[in-house]
Amino acid sequence: MSLDFTVAIPTYNGASRLPAILDRLKTQVQVDQIAWEIIIVDNNSKDDTAKVVQEYQANWPEAFPLKYYFEAEQGAAFARVRAVQEAQAELIGFIDDDNLPAPDWVSAAYSFGQEHPKAGAYGGQIHGDYEVAPPENFRRIQSFLAIRERGSKPHLYDPENLSLPPAAAVVVRKSVWYNHVPSRPKLSGKVRGSMVQGDDYEPLLYMYRAGWEIWYNPAMHTHHQIPHWRLERDYLMSLVRGSSLCICDLRMINAKSWQKPIVFTKILLGSTRRTLLHVLKYRGKIKTDLIAACEMEFFLGSLLSPFYFLNKTLKSKTTALRDP
């Protein structure tokens, strides 16, 4: 049966987090005229994620089914691919398992898709719900934790400059994904031993390249649950590093062959300039100022991203030659 809307929740070891988001989804308002479903994609969890979903399914409203799927290949990107395959609706709203939707999130997401038929994807407002107070000047780096508060008016994102909604709460059109996004992602997302990201931007850039619009919808509100350890220095530095090492990979998606050397050079020169200016501005404070240190980590990671891209490309070609 074809539906109007699918809520897709990729999760890894989400047994303790899923109850809060499922309780929020169970009480959505203004959905009487919307045929929708919820699908959980368990990305190879080692905890009781499956058991928690089964317990909810036992008493779940029939009006909007709750479904469970297991995806063994590790990485959020692969969980999203599986969700697209299983979704029964054209509009698919991804929500991370630690991102709690407002009571009217489904309604606001579905309505915007109907009103903007050229939108291949769109995200809303994501507010931080912090266990402890974030450090001073945290707004300068809050986007690394998927916080998006871009005002009260809908507007287009700027994919040319990698300005895009995060996958923590984004809606995509299934047909657009199927027609334009490669079946196997290049960037898998955070997995054990690697924090390199960009996996949430990759499919959106393919959609944009095909001519689809990427929008910001301020009527969609979610609240990102941020525990204290995600504000600690080691985690933030690792997160920022992973967000910057993918810069060259992402910029190459929409670059033509003749443009790639130019993109490569521009990233090197631009990142070098930003790094030097940052050093001059903060000097010795970088060691003691967490926000300045994170910004420096981003500039350095961006500077290294072309070499990370080259190394990946060479490894891929070597593997192809070895295993034809």
Side-chain angles (χ1 to χ4, degrees):
M1 180 181 71
S2 178
L3 300 175
D4 298 320
F5 197 82
T6 294
V7 174
I9 306 171
T11 185
Y12 172 71
N13 287 348
S16 63
R17 298 183 298 275
L18 284 172
I21 186 172
L22 290 175
D23 288 342
R24 288 290 186 97
L25 290 170
K26 185 184 287 189
T27 57
Q28 287 288 294
V29 300
Q30 302 171 15
V31 291
D32 291 345
Q33 303 303 313
I34 302 173
W36 64 295
E37 65 176 351
I38 301 168
I39 62 177
I40 308 290
V41 180
D42 181 349
N43 193 200
N44 204 25
S45 296
K46 309 303 181 187
D47 66 355
D48 290 332
T49 290
K51 181 180 178 182
V52 168
V53 177
Q54 290 169 2
E55 291 173 350
Y56 267 85
Q57 286 175 322
N59 299 292
W60 194 259
E62 294 184 5
F64 47 100
L66 173 62
K67 303 175 184 177
Y68 171 90
Y69 300 97
F70 184 85
E71 175 52 55
E73 190 159 13
Q74 203 76 58
F78 300 113
R80 293 188 202 106
V81 169
R82 179 65 182 276
V84 172
Q85 293 171 348
E86 302 293 351
Q88 298 298 304
E90 169 67 359
L91 292 174
I92 306 170
F94 287 102
I95 306 183
D96 283 357
D97 62 12
D98 59 356
N99 208 22
L100 303 182
D104 63 347
W105 190 85
V106 170
S107 173
Y110 175 70
S111 297
F112 192 87
Q114 298 300 107
E115 295 163 2
H116 296 78
K118 293 183 179 180
Y122 48 95
Q125 299 201 53
I126 304 177
H127 312 286
D129 190 353
Y130 303 98
E131 182 182 9
V132 298
E136 187 178 358
N137 297 319
F138 185 72
R139 288 187 66 87
R140 285 173 20 204
I141 65 166
Q142 66 178 7
S143 62
F144 292 112
L145 286 173
I147 306 302
R148 293 292 188 276
E149 295 168 325
R150 298 170 60 95
S152 59
K153 295 183 179 180
H155 57 261
L156 289 167
Y157 271 95
D158 182 15
E160 293 288 347
N161 290 305
L162 300 185
S163 173
L164 292 161
V170 68
V171 181
V172 303
R173 292 188 189 275
K174 178 169 181 170
S175 60
V176 176
W177 184 300
Y178 258 123
N179 291 334
H180 304 295
V181 178
S183 58
R184 188 161 187 84
K186 294 180 180 178
L187 297 165
S188 62
K190 291 177 286 187
V191 294
R192 185 178 296 276
S194 174
M195 285 285 282
V196 176
Q197 297 177 78
D199 53 294
D200 48 353
Y201 284 6
E202 182 182 354
L204 305 187
L205 288 169
Y206 285 114
M207 294 178 190
Y208 173 73
R209 185 172 73 178
W212 289 86
E213 298 170 346
I214 313 296
W215 279 83
Y216 166 73
N217 174 20
M220 292 161 46
H221 293 266
T222 58
H223 294 265
H224 189 188
Q225 309 301 293
I226 300 174
H228 68 90
W229 56 267
R230 296 193 72 182
L231 297 175
E232 294 174 358
R233 185 184 183 91
D234 288 348
Y235 178 84
L236 284 173
M237 294 288 278
S238 179
L239 177 68
V240 171
R241 187 180 310 121
S243 299
S244 57
L245 285 174
C246 63
I247 293 294
C248 190
D249 274 279
L250 293 172
R251 289 200 175 277
M252 290 300 183
I253 289 175
N254 288 328
K256 298 177 182 177
S257 296
W258 64 269
Q259 294 175 319
K260 291 185 177 182
I262 299 173
V263 171
F264 190 97
T265 303
K266 286 180 69 175
I267 293 174
L268 286 178
L269 294 177
S271 298
T272 299
R273 178 178 177 274
R274 287 193 293 271
T275 300
L276 292 175
L277 289 175
H278 199 68
V279 170
L280 291 173
K281 182 176 181 179
Y282 289 98
R283 299 182 185 275
K285 293 182 180 179
I286 292 176
K287 291 184 178 181
T288 57
D289 186 329
L290 175 58
I291 306 305
C294 286
E295 290 170 333
M296 173 59 78
E297 191 70 19
F298 181 76
F299 297 144
L300 290 173
S302 299
L303 179 60
L304 292 173
S305 70
F307 303 104
Y308 178 80
F309 172 78
L310 276 182
N311 185 52
K312 273 183 54 180
T313 303
L314 290 173
K315 283 184 177 179
S316 177
K317 289 182 178 179
T318 301
T319 302
L321 289 172
R322 187 174 60 243
D323 304 313

